[in-house]
Amino acid sequence: MALTIYNKISILQLAFFFPSLVVAGTLTYRHGFRRSSGWIYLVILSLMRIIGASMELATISSPDNTSIAIGAQILQNIGLSPLILVLLGLISRSYLAMSENSRPSLPNTRVLRLLQLVIVVGLLLSIVGGVNTGNQVAKELGNGSPISYKVASESKAGTALMVLGYALLVLSAMALLFRIGNIPLGEKRLLIAVFVALPFVFVRLLYSILSIFDTSNTNFHQFGGSTDAGYYVLGMCTAMEIITVIIFEAVGLTLPYVPHNERGSLLNPNRAVNRFDVHGQPLSEYPKPQQGGQA
């Protein structure tokens, strides 16, 4: 049995996201599990892609199991939000690395937290919309009818929130760019990574917009698309996600390790202080246990 383009995409995702999960887990451990650091969302994205790809490949042996196919499609569709949340995490860390008197008035911590809420709500709406659309498709298939569905309103609302979140992230990144000189040298690479990744995330966002709002174009149908639909998924989704994850993880591996007792000063705006040298290394000394029991 010949492999479909979706089968091949799933194999590619498994080959990439298994090692990506290891790197993302390492970054999360090194830099902390706090959501504001952003790395935990790379773990979530890798898990989503591994599970989704496994479900899609399972349809080879169970072609009549519509639940597996629909579940795989839902996981494919919601992969955008973790990418945007990683961008938000990197922007937040760049902002908090600045001294309080050098930070721009916008964005601020309240705006960044609100932005996170917008993206998370968009993710939840996308999940609900994907389930509702999947139920429509399952019903049509159960009746023996050709695949026909109407995109759920929740999916449209979720995608609209993603567009809003992306636009606000771009504006936030631009505001920080004008004050990049106030960001410690070791942390500047985070903001640079954001600008390098933004075009690739935009292409991924564009695919979501077209698949939700341009229902007349079968190349972007979530279910029952044209024979070329899989190649659009490969080029505009899978490839963009892989490139973006490489950018994020590459810059993450170059960041200085911050000990657990120092992470609050970097990630908590109420305790944020500038304690980095020109290379981005923490200035604090971490005393080692002294020999001979001396105090």
Side-chain angles (χ1 to χ4, degrees):
M1 180 178 179
L3 295 177
T4 67
I5 180 60
Y6 294 104
N7 298 151
K8 295 176 181 178
I9 290 173
S10 296
I11 293 172
L12 173 61
Q13 288 176 329
L14 289 176
F16 176 79
F17 283 103
F18 265 119
S20 170
L21 177 62
V22 174
V23 176
T26 302
L27 291 175
T28 302
Y29 174 77
R30 288 180 59 188
H31 300 288
F33 286 84
R34 296 188 53 156
R35 289 177 296 174
S36 55
S37 62
W39 309 115
I40 188 64
Y41 296 113
L42 288 178
V43 174
I44 294 173
L45 176 62
S46 297
L47 288 173
M48 287 170 54
R49 286 293 165 257
I50 291 170
I51 296 171
S54 300
M55 294 175 68
E56 202 286 324
L57 290 175
T59 62
I60 297 176
S61 58
S62 303
D64 297 327
N65 192 328
T66 57
S67 297
I68 296 177
I70 291 171
Q73 185 61 51
I74 291 173
L75 286 173
Q76 173 64 40
N77 292 339
I78 62 176
L80 172 65
S81 51
L83 293 179
I84 296 180
L85 286 168
V86 177
L87 286 173
L88 175 61
L90 299 186
I91 289 174
S92 298
R93 176 162 169 166
S94 298
Y95 172 83
L96 294 173
M98 303 168 65
S99 60
E100 292 188 13
N101 59 2
S102 65
R103 295 171 184 169
S105 56
L106 289 175
N108 53 42
T109 53
R110 182 174 299 177
V111 169
L112 293 174
R113 288 172 180 170
L114 179 61
L115 186 51
Q116 184 182 50
L117 178 62
V118 168
I119 299 168
V120 171
V121 171
L123 168 61
L124 296 177
L125 287 173
S126 297
I127 293 173
V128 173
V131 171
N132 291 339
T133 302
N135 289 337
Q136 293 182 51
V137 174
K139 184 178 180 180
E140 294 290 336
L141 292 175
N143 295 332
S145 305
I147 294 179
S148 175
Y149 64 92
K150 181 180 179 181
V151 176
S153 57
E154 294 89 351
S155 294
K156 294 180 179 180
T159 302
L161 288 178
M162 292 297 171
V163 173
L164 175 62
Y166 179 87
L168 293 176
L169 278 176
V170 172
L171 293 176
S172 298
M174 292 296 297
L176 294 183
L177 182 63
F178 287 111
R179 305 208 178 185
I180 193 171
N182 297 318
I183 301 176
L185 184 59
E187 300 291 309
K188 288 180 181 179
R189 68 194 74 174
L190 292 173
L191 193 58
I192 295 173
V194 167
F195 279 100
V196 173
L198 279 175
F200 300 104
V201 178
F202 175 78
V203 174
R204 177 64 182 86
L205 174 63
L206 179 61
Y207 179 89
S208 293
I209 295 172
L210 293 173
S211 66
I212 296 298
F213 295 103
D214 188 10
T215 56
S216 63
N217 191 337
T218 57
N219 290 326
F220 299 100
H221 277 192
Q222 300 176 36
F223 302 94
S226 69
T227 54
D228 293 330
Y231 295 98
Y232 283 88
V233 173
L234 175 62
M236 298 183 69
C237 295
T238 305
M240 297 301 101
E241 290 175 0
I242 289 175
I243 293 172
T244 305
V245 169
I246 290 174
I247 294 170
F248 290 152
E249 293 189 341
V251 73
L253 290 172
T254 67
L255 290 174
Y257 172 75
V258 180
H260 290 269
N261 60 335
E262 287 294 303
R263 288 173 186 169
S265 64
L266 178 62
L267 299 174
N268 188 335
N270 296 322
R271 294 184 292 163
V273 293
N274 275 348
R275 289 191 282 178
F276 296 89
D277 62 19
V278 294
H279 301 295
Q281 300 290 345
L283 293 175
S284 302
E285 295 289 341
Y286 304 106
K288 299 180 181 179
Q290 299 190 18
Q291 301 296 327
Q294 295 178 355

